[in-house]
mmCIF file of all heavy atoms in Angstrom:
data_model
loop_
_atom_site.group_PDB
_atom_site.id
_atom_site.type_symbol
_atom_site.label_atom_id
_atom_site.label_comp_id
_atom_site.label_asym_id
_atom_site.label_seq_id
_atom_site.Cartn_x
_atom_site.Cartn_y
_atom_site.Cartn_z
ATOM 1 N N LYS A 457 118.438 -3.811 110.082
ATOM 2 C CA LYS A 457 118.143 -5.101 109.485
ATOM 3 C C LYS A 457 117.891 -6.158 110.562
ATOM 4 O O LYS A 457 118.718 -6.376 111.441
ATOM 5 C CB LYS A 457 119.306 -5.531 108.601
ATOM 6 C CG LYS A 457 119.082 -6.798 107.840
ATOM 7 C CD LYS A 457 120.263 -7.099 106.947
ATOM 8 C CE LYS A 457 120.031 -8.392 106.200
ATOM 9 N NZ LYS A 457 121.178 -8.726 105.364
ATOM 10 N N PHE A 458 116.719 -6.793 110.481
ATOM 11 C CA PHE A 458 116.445 -7.909 111.379
ATOM 12 C C PHE A 458 117.429 -9.027 111.044
ATOM 13 O O PHE A 458 117.782 -9.221 109.894
ATOM 14 C CB PHE A 458 115.009 -8.416 111.214
ATOM 15 C CG PHE A 458 113.998 -7.569 111.919
ATOM 16 C CD1 PHE A 458 113.138 -6.764 111.198
ATOM 17 C CD2 PHE A 458 113.925 -7.571 113.298
ATOM 18 C CE1 PHE A 458 112.196 -5.981 111.844
ATOM 19 C CE2 PHE A 458 112.980 -6.796 113.959
ATOM 20 C CZ PHE A 458 112.125 -5.994 113.226
ATOM 21 N N GLY A 459 117.874 -9.710 112.050
ATOM 22 C CA GLY A 459 118.877 -10.741 111.851
ATOM 23 C C GLY A 459 120.267 -10.246 112.187
ATOM 24 O O GLY A 459 121.223 -11.009 112.149
ATOM 25 N N SER A 460 120.394 -8.933 112.499
ATOM 26 C CA SER A 460 121.683 -8.405 112.934
ATOM 27 C C SER A 460 122.095 -9.156 114.188
ATOM 28 O O SER A 460 121.297 -9.344 115.104
ATOM 29 C CB SER A 460 121.584 -6.911 113.230
ATOM 30 O OG SER A 460 121.217 -6.199 112.068
ATOM 31 N N THR A 461 123.337 -9.588 114.235
ATOM 32 C CA THR A 461 123.757 -10.464 115.329
ATOM 33 C C THR A 461 124.354 -9.718 116.517
ATOM 34 O O THR A 461 124.513 -10.284 117.566
ATOM 35 C CB THR A 461 124.788 -11.493 114.828
ATOM 36 O OG1 THR A 461 125.879 -10.790 114.236
ATOM 37 C CG2 THR A 461 124.159 -12.435 113.816
ATOM 38 N N GLU A 462 124.673 -8.471 116.354
ATOM 39 C CA GLU A 462 125.222 -7.711 117.475
ATOM 40 C C GLU A 462 124.244 -6.616 117.865
ATOM 41 O O GLU A 462 123.551 -6.058 117.031
ATOM 42 C CB GLU A 462 126.568 -7.098 117.091
ATOM 43 C CG GLU A 462 127.634 -8.138 116.813
ATOM 44 C CD GLU A 462 128.969 -7.522 116.461
ATOM 45 O OE1 GLU A 462 129.179 -6.322 116.724
ATOM 46 O OE2 GLU A 462 129.807 -8.238 115.909
ATOM 47 N N ASN A 463 124.204 -6.324 119.163
ATOM 48 C CA ASN A 463 123.411 -5.217 119.675
ATOM 49 C C ASN A 463 121.911 -5.413 119.392
ATOM 50 O O ASN A 463 121.257 -4.538 118.829
ATOM 51 C CB ASN A 463 123.919 -3.897 119.098
ATOM 52 C CG ASN A 463 123.792 -2.755 120.072
ATOM 53 O OD1 ASN A 463 123.132 -2.879 121.102
ATOM 54 N ND2 ASN A 463 124.410 -1.649 119.749
ATOM 55 N N GLU A 464 121.395 -6.566 119.783
ATOM 56 C CA GLU A 464 119.990 -6.892 119.532
ATOM 57 C C GLU A 464 119.032 -5.884 120.159
ATOM 58 O O GLU A 464 117.956 -5.622 119.614
ATOM 59 C CB GLU A 464 119.666 -8.304 120.032
ATOM 60 C CG GLU A 464 120.248 -9.415 119.174
ATOM 61 C CD GLU A 464 121.689 -9.774 119.527
ATOM 62 O OE1 GLU A 464 122.241 -9.204 120.508
ATOM 63 O OE2 GLU A 464 122.276 -10.613 118.824
ATOM 64 N N ASP A 465 119.423 -5.296 121.305
ATOM 65 C CA ASP A 465 118.543 -4.311 121.931
ATOM 66 C C ASP A 465 118.398 -3.067 121.068
ATOM 67 O O ASP A 465 117.328 -2.467 120.994
ATOM 68 C CB ASP A 465 119.010 -3.956 123.349
ATOM 69 C CG ASP A 465 120.452 -3.482 123.422
ATOM 70 O OD1 ASP A 465 121.240 -3.761 122.497
ATOM 71 O OD2 ASP A 465 120.796 -2.843 124.427
ATOM 72 N N LEU A 466 119.463 -2.678 120.365
ATOM 73 C CA LEU A 466 119.373 -1.543 119.448
ATOM 74 C C LEU A 466 118.470 -1.886 118.263
ATOM 75 O O LEU A 466 117.655 -1.064 117.839
ATOM 76 C CB LEU A 466 120.764 -1.129 118.955
ATOM 77 C CG LEU A 466 120.797 0.032 117.966
ATOM 78 C CD1 LEU A 466 120.210 1.304 118.598
ATOM 79 C CD2 LEU A 466 122.218 0.286 117.484
ATOM 80 N N THR A 467 118.588 -3.109 117.752
ATOM 81 C CA THR A 467 117.713 -3.548 116.656
ATOM 82 C C THR A 467 116.252 -3.466 117.096
ATOM 83 O O THR A 467 115.407 -2.950 116.366
ATOM 84 C CB THR A 467 118.056 -4.987 116.222
ATOM 85 O OG1 THR A 467 119.433 -5.034 115.822
ATOM 86 C CG2 THR A 467 117.181 -5.443 115.064
ATOM 87 N N TRP A 468 115.953 -3.959 118.301
ATOM 88 C CA TRP A 468 114.595 -3.897 118.825
ATOM 89 C C TRP A 468 114.118 -2.453 118.920
ATOM 90 O O TRP A 468 113.017 -2.106 118.485
ATOM 91 C CB TRP A 468 114.524 -4.568 120.197
ATOM 92 C CG TRP A 468 113.167 -4.419 120.807
ATOM 93 C CD1 TRP A 468 112.097 -5.240 120.619
ATOM 94 C CD2 TRP A 468 112.718 -3.369 121.650
ATOM 95 N NE1 TRP A 468 111.001 -4.760 121.309
ATOM 96 C CE2 TRP A 468 111.362 -3.598 121.953
ATOM 97 C CE3 TRP A 468 113.321 -2.239 122.190
ATOM 98 C CZ2 TRP A 468 110.614 -2.758 122.763
ATOM 99 C CZ3 TRP A 468 112.573 -1.400 123.000
ATOM 100 C CH2 TRP A 468 111.241 -1.671 123.276
ATOM 101 N N ALA A 469 114.951 -1.584 119.494
ATOM 102 C CA ALA A 469 114.565 -0.180 119.680
ATOM 103 C C ALA A 469 114.313 0.512 118.345
ATOM 104 O O ALA A 469 113.328 1.245 118.189
ATOM 105 C CB ALA A 469 115.643 0.565 120.470
ATOM 106 N N LEU A 470 115.184 0.265 117.366
ATOM 107 C CA LEU A 470 115.041 0.924 116.066
ATOM 108 C C LEU A 470 113.864 0.401 115.258
ATOM 109 O O LEU A 470 113.287 1.136 114.454
ATOM 110 C CB LEU A 470 116.330 0.782 115.253
ATOM 111 C CG LEU A 470 117.515 1.603 115.738
ATOM 112 C CD1 LEU A 470 118.781 1.204 114.999
ATOM 113 C CD2 LEU A 470 117.249 3.095 115.579
ATOM 114 N N ASN A 471 113.491 -0.849 115.466
ATOM 115 C CA ASN A 471 112.444 -1.453 114.635
ATOM 116 C C ASN A 471 111.082 -1.543 115.301
ATOM 117 O O ASN A 471 110.099 -1.873 114.643
ATOM 118 C CB ASN A 471 112.879 -2.843 114.178
ATOM 119 C CG ASN A 471 114.041 -2.775 113.209
ATOM 120 O OD1 ASN A 471 114.313 -1.745 112.604
ATOM 121 N ND2 ASN A 471 114.752 -3.861 113.069
ATOM 122 N N THR A 472 111.006 -1.251 116.598
ATOM 123 C CA THR A 472 109.710 -1.321 117.282
ATOM 124 C C THR A 472 109.403 -0.052 118.067
ATOM 125 O O THR A 472 108.377 0.576 117.842
ATOM 126 C CB THR A 472 109.642 -2.534 118.223
ATOM 127 O OG1 THR A 472 110.681 -2.451 119.188
ATOM 128 C CG2 THR A 472 109.754 -3.836 117.460
ATOM 129 N N TYR A 473 110.284 0.331 118.957
ATOM 130 C CA TYR A 473 110.041 1.505 119.795
ATOM 131 C C TYR A 473 110.059 2.800 118.968
ATOM 132 O O TYR A 473 109.116 3.592 119.031
ATOM 133 C CB TYR A 473 111.086 1.576 120.921
ATOM 134 C CG TYR A 473 110.989 2.845 121.733
ATOM 135 C CD1 TYR A 473 109.957 3.022 122.656
ATOM 136 C CD2 TYR A 473 111.916 3.867 121.572
ATOM 137 C CE1 TYR A 473 109.847 4.189 123.392
ATOM 138 C CE2 TYR A 473 111.811 5.040 122.305
ATOM 139 C CZ TYR A 473 110.787 5.195 123.208
ATOM 140 O OH TYR A 473 110.677 6.356 123.927
ATOM 141 N N MET A 474 111.112 3.018 118.207
ATOM 142 C CA MET A 474 111.259 4.256 117.448
ATOM 143 C C MET A 474 110.126 4.473 116.434
ATOM 144 O O MET A 474 109.602 5.587 116.349
ATOM 145 C CB MET A 474 112.635 4.300 116.777
ATOM 146 C CG MET A 474 112.954 5.622 116.105
ATOM 147 S SD MET A 474 112.985 5.523 114.314
ATOM 148 C CE MET A 474 114.130 4.229 113.997
ATOM 149 N N PRO A 475 109.690 3.466 115.685
ATOM 150 C CA PRO A 475 108.567 3.707 114.773
ATOM 151 C C PRO A 475 107.301 4.185 115.491
ATOM 152 O O PRO A 475 106.558 5.015 114.975
ATOM 153 C CB PRO A 475 108.347 2.353 114.096
ATOM 154 C CG PRO A 475 109.678 1.684 114.177
ATOM 155 C CD PRO A 475 110.261 2.121 115.483
ATOM 156 N N GLY A 476 107.070 3.670 116.698
ATOM 157 C CA GLY A 476 105.918 4.129 117.470
ATOM 158 C C GLY A 476 106.045 5.594 117.855
ATOM 159 O O GLY A 476 105.069 6.347 117.807
ATOM 160 N N ARG A 477 107.238 5.996 118.241
ATOM 161 C CA ARG A 477 107.490 7.402 118.587
ATOM 162 C C ARG A 477 107.319 8.292 117.358
ATOM 163 O O ARG A 477 106.770 9.380 117.432
ATOM 164 C CB ARG A 477 108.893 7.580 119.188
ATOM 165 C CG ARG A 477 109.140 6.829 120.494
ATOM 166 C CD ARG A 477 108.167 7.192 121.619
ATOM 167 N NE ARG A 477 108.145 8.629 121.813
ATOM 168 C CZ ARG A 477 107.041 9.365 121.968
ATOM 169 N NH1 ARG A 477 105.857 8.789 121.989
ATOM 170 N NH2 ARG A 477 107.113 10.663 122.128
ATOM 171 N N VAL A 478 107.793 7.821 116.205
ATOM 172 C CA VAL A 478 107.641 8.578 114.959
ATOM 173 C C VAL A 478 106.161 8.723 114.604
ATOM 174 O O VAL A 478 105.700 9.808 114.239
ATOM 175 C CB VAL A 478 108.429 7.907 113.807
ATOM 176 C CG1 VAL A 478 108.040 8.481 112.454
ATOM 177 C CG2 VAL A 478 109.941 8.043 114.037
ATOM 178 N N ALA A 479 105.407 7.639 114.733
ATOM 179 C CA ALA A 479 103.966 7.684 114.437
ATOM 180 C C ALA A 479 103.258 8.685 115.338
ATOM 181 O O ALA A 479 102.358 9.409 114.901
ATOM 182 C CB ALA A 479 103.349 6.297 114.579
ATOM 183 N N GLU A 480 103.654 8.728 116.604
ATOM 184 C CA GLU A 480 103.065 9.698 117.536
ATOM 185 C C GLU A 480 103.418 11.126 117.130
ATOM 186 O O GLU A 480 102.557 11.998 117.095
ATOM 187 C CB GLU A 480 103.548 9.404 118.960
ATOM 188 C CG GLU A 480 103.019 10.359 119.997
ATOM 189 C CD GLU A 480 101.520 10.270 120.229
ATOM 190 O OE1 GLU A 480 100.920 9.223 119.930
ATOM 191 O OE2 GLU A 480 100.938 11.268 120.709
#
């Protein structure tokens, strides 16, 4: 969930990096 206040780097990885890897 965007807006999560802890572990922002994990939020970024799960919502941007990982979807790209899945698409590949």
